[in-house]
Amino acid sequence: MCIRARAKVPAMPARTLAARPGRWLWTCRAGFESHLFEELEWAGAEPRLLGEALVESDAVSGPPPAFARAGYQVAATLTATSPEAIAEAATRTVLALPGRAPWAVQAFTPDTPRGNALAPVAEALESAVSARLPAERRIEDAQRAREAGALLVSLCVAPDDVTVVGAVHAREAVSLAAGGRRRMRRAGDAPSRAAMKLEEALDGLAFEPGRGDVCVDLGAAPGGWTQRLVSRGAKVVAVDPARLMPELTGNPRVKHVQESAFAYAPDEPADWLFCDMAWRPLEVAQLLAKWGRRGWAQHLVANIKLPMKDKNPILLRVRHTLVQEGGWEGLTVRQLYHDRDEVTVTAHKMK
């Protein structure tokens, strides 16, 4: 594993900068711009901070940055200031995009206090541009856009009168949600926001645990992830010394193993391994690598907590541990909308 020199991250600009056509616009969680910048710097993509929650760079080969919620190739940054003029300019930009693929238009704002105040403006712009585009080439639903091979057209309404029009093929998009803000509804009986993290992680997979699948949930208590898995019809081995929520203790599809996740070994391989433990990231990675190396599970969904500092160097070591030591394949590492100081990893093992 190579050791990388830390990137020198510039100061945040006082005003939102215009994105350059042909480059890529990335969105991230506010406060994580420096981590996204460093990832892009390490990828040789010559990043530039545009403003809070917005980073620009050249195209990135390989997996997308872990700290990017979404990414779009910039078609234009609009300089008009009146809503009507912006809508007209944005429509002309969309019509000029190459190819004949249909469009799914999404408007969003940076996920910051200043950005969120512009949500009504973004909503109005999305409606105005959609109304101006030919109906036969519009697709309303992003999932249908992926199935149809459409373009996701983004209208980023940022502070300081900056509006960026970008696009990405829906099948290549980091997220199908506008600006990568995939909000999951919190079920009334969910014990914590942990359930929403799991729902968002599963939402991004090609398939998910179903009826009859055997899942192991490491560090399960109080049972947020176990609860959501059982609701899908899965059988769950919940591993945690602590107690589960009362409604799970008598569930016939839940087996509670009251011991440490680090000591537990399954009697037979599982279909899915889940893990959301508040534990040191490298130790969790080594635990997950052991499961991969021994063939104890076919699919992996795990949440890795990150330190206050050195997030990117730790992520490099986590990736190395999971892939090189654990043999996990198809690894994805992303900070999802419902993640905070953490990332969600997914992977699989070929039979």
Side-chain angles (χ1 to χ4, degrees):
M1 184 185 67
C2 63
I3 299 176
R4 298 181 183 271
R6 303 306 302 271
K8 294 182 179 180
V9 182
M12 185 69 67
R15 293 176 60 83
T16 307
L17 303 180
R20 299 165 181 167
R23 302 256 286 168
W24 281 74
L25 176 68
W26 304 96
T27 70
C28 66
R29 186 179 184 89
F32 285 77
E33 299 88 353
S34 62
H35 307 302
L36 176 55
F37 183 99
E38 185 170 57
E39 279 190 282
L40 294 166
E41 180 77 18
W42 285 354
E46 298 188 7
R48 185 170 69 117
L49 292 181
L50 298 185
E52 291 182 308
L54 297 175
V55 181
E56 174 199 278
S57 80
D58 290 338
V60 175
S61 60
F67 291 107
R69 284 184 177 173
Y72 311 90
Q73 188 169 26
V74 177
T77 295
L78 307 180
T79 57
T81 55
S82 75
E84 182 75 12
I86 292 174
E88 289 289 347
T91 302
R92 289 194 299 271
T93 301
V94 176
L95 290 171
L97 291 172
R100 294 294 300 169
W103 312 292
V105 178
Q106 300 176 328
F108 69 94
T109 67
D111 191 5
T112 66
R114 292 181 70 208
N116 291 331
L118 297 171
V121 179
E123 184 177 348
L125 178 61
E126 180 178 318
S127 298
V129 172
S130 296
R132 287 168 166 79
L133 294 174
E136 64 272 14
R137 289 187 63 187
R138 291 202 319 266
I139 295 179
E140 302 298 329
D141 180 74
Q143 185 60 50
R144 286 186 53 237
R146 173 168 285 179
E147 295 166 359
L151 285 177
L152 282 185
V153 174
S154 72
L155 307 173
C156 175
V157 179
D160 307 311
D161 295 323
V162 172
T163 301
V164 182
V165 182
V168 63
H169 288 283
R171 291 173 180 168
E172 301 171 4
V174 174
S175 172
L176 292 179
R181 299 169 73 169
R182 184 68 175 97
R183 297 180 178 88
M184 311 304 294
R185 292 185 177 181
R186 183 168 181 170
D189 57 349
S192 69
R193 71 179 181 89
M196 294 187 290
K197 292 192 296 183
L198 176 62
E199 294 292 341
E200 186 182 4
L202 295 178
D203 184 68
L205 296 177
F207 58 94
E208 59 188 47
R211 189 165 301 279
D213 281 355
V214 176
C215 305
V216 173
D217 185 6
L218 300 179
W225 284 27
T226 293
Q227 181 191 55
R228 304 318 301 161
L229 296 170
V230 168
S231 72
R232 287 171 159 76
K235 301 175 183 178
V236 182
V237 179
V239 182
D240 201 302
R243 294 181 180 181
L244 299 180
M245 52 200 302
E247 54 264 44
L248 292 176
T249 57
N251 192 306
R253 291 203 300 273
V254 177
K255 177 183 178 181
H256 185 195
V257 178
Q258 289 188 275
E259 66 177 81
S260 165
F262 293 95
Y264 174 72
D267 296 328
E268 56 186 23
D271 297 301
W272 293 79
L273 174 63
F274 293 89
C275 180
D276 183 25
M277 298 195 304
W279 204 262
R280 290 180 286 272
L282 295 180
E283 293 182 26
V284 172
Q286 289 163 0
L287 172 63
L288 302 178
K290 179 176 72 173
W291 277 72
R293 188 168 56 250
R294 298 184 180 180
W296 285 350
Q298 186 177 355
H299 303 283
L300 169 67
V301 178
N303 204 261
I304 303 290
K305 315 304 177 186
L306 298 176
M308 293 300 294
K309 298 181 179 179
D310 298 329
K311 288 180 171 60
N312 283 322
I314 288 293
L315 281 186
L316 283 180
R317 297 175 66 183
V318 167
R319 289 178 188 268
H320 178 86
T321 300
L322 294 176
V323 174
Q324 300 301 323
E325 299 179 21
W328 288 105
E329 303 171 45
L331 183 73
T332 70
V333 182
R334 288 193 58 212
Q335 185 181 45
L336 301 178
Y337 176 76
H338 291 288
D339 287 337
R340 293 179 182 171
D341 275 303
E342 57 205 346
V343 293
T344 297
V345 302
T346 65
H348 61 266
K349 293 280 289 188
M350 299 298 291
K351 288 185 176 180

